[in-house]
Amino acid sequence: MSEASEMCGSVPIRQVIQGDCLEAMKDIPNESIDHIITDFPYNVGKVTYFPSDAAYYRFLEDACIEVCRVLKNNGNFVFYVGDKDIVNKLNIVAKFFKYQWRIVQYKPTFRQFGKTGFTKTDLIWWFTKKESKGKIYRRHPDIIVDKKENMRYDHPCFKGEIVMESLVKIFTKEGDLVLDPMCGIGGTLVACNNLKRQWIGIEKKYEYCAIARKRVEAVDEPVKDGWMDDPFG
């Protein structure tokens, strides 16, 4: 990938920025991002980076403040956030954004223990700014099958290319500038790269930045949609 020639304020486009998202987003101008697709820390198990739930909730609220500031008025805010204390988490998001819908990610080869037994699903939330009616750019069933992929990465919340490209197709259009302020190993960025969207990625951990940069530099093709025909077939 060639060096970025475009900027968003002082932030280079098509670059993975290593740093704290709350600090890095301060360099992004107001209402300059078309859409935001991200994966918040779940604050559970091995992916708990906060000393307390209160600290996590403060982070979530501060992140929403910055997301609301940089997102255009008609932009989409699409995110994972994990099931733990989901009501509290969504109530924080709802202080700044309006709920539109949710998408189910169905993982047929995945088994994670939940409250009633093993679960094979994850929820993806779609919010917009309060004055927006919400807009999608491609109709799609609200269940996406995240089929098993050949390539796996050392990340506790790896998201496959099928689901990420599906989200990019639904909620963005070609040429849009997409921000992932907690980009991990770059799933959103790879999808944007493959589908001709502009992008900015922010990630705190050096090792994840290195993986994300390597992935977006690889030449690839869009993957087949994760259409859901029969989730239990």
Side-chain angles (χ1 to χ4, degrees), residues 4-139:
S5 59
E6 297 183 68
M7 304 289 289
C8 181
S10 61
V11 177
I13 294 174
R14 298 177 66 83
Q15 292 289 313
V16 182
I17 300 160
Q18 185 188 356
D20 182 275
C21 66
L22 299 181
E23 293 300 317
M25 281 194 285
K26 291 178 181 178
D27 294 327
I28 299 176
N30 294 351
E31 298 179 11
S32 59
I33 300 296
D34 291 305
H35 310 287
I36 293 176
I37 301 174
T38 198
D39 185 4
F40 280 108
Y42 284 13
N43 192 36
V44 62
K46 294 181 180 179
V47 290
T48 300
Y49 303 116
F50 301 89
S52 66
D53 287 346
Y56 175 81
Y57 294 141
R58 284 195 298 272
F59 163 79
L60 185 59
E61 182 158 346
D62 290 344
C64 285
I65 290 170
E66 282 300 300
V67 166
C68 191
R69 181 185 65 80
V70 304
L71 184 64
K72 291 182 179 179
N73 287 335
N74 61 347
N76 292 315
F77 179 28
V78 179
F79 60 90
Y80 295 82
V81 74
D83 293 332
K84 178 186 175 183
D85 299 330
I86 187 62
V87 174
N88 292 335
K89 292 174 179 177
L90 295 181
N91 281 339
I92 290 172
V93 177
K95 290 181 181 180
F96 309 94
F97 298 94
K98 180 171 65 176
Y99 170 75
Q100 295 290 347
W101 200 241
R102 54 63 198 127
I103 291 176
V104 176
Q105 177 184 347
Y106 175 64
K107 301 174 281 188
T109 61
F110 183 78
R111 281 167 57 112
Q112 178 175 313
F113 195 74
K115 290 287 187 179
T116 60
F118 287 106
T119 180
K120 292 177 175 286
T121 62
D122 215 341
L123 292 177
I124 304 158
W125 301 95
W126 172 28
F127 280 70
T128 62
K129 287 191 172 181
K130 291 184 180 292
E131 64 271 23
S132 174
K133 294 181 180 179
K135 182 176 181 180
I136 61 172
Y137 297 89
R138 176 173 176 175
R139 298 198 65 80

Side-chain angles (χ1 to χ4, degrees), residues 163-219:
V163 66
M164 298 315 299
E165 288 196 7
S166 295
L167 295 178
V168 169
K169 289 175 184 177
I170 295 167
F171 294 108
T172 78
K173 67 181 186 300
E174 189 171 315
D176 279 346
L177 177 57
V178 179
L179 169 67
D180 187 343
M182 291 154 276
C183 72
I185 57 173
T188 302
L189 315 183
V190 172
C192 288
N193 229 28
N194 291 345
L195 298 170
K196 300 180 180 178
R197 275 66 164 171
Q198 302 280 32
W199 53 267
I200 297 170
I202 303 170
E203 172 53 43
K204 192 172 185 178
K205 298 188 72 170
Y206 171 80
E207 56 268 36
Y208 294 162
C209 282
I211 296 173
R213 289 168 181 154
K214 184 176 180 180
R215 292 181 71 195
V216 296
E217 286 170 358
V219 178

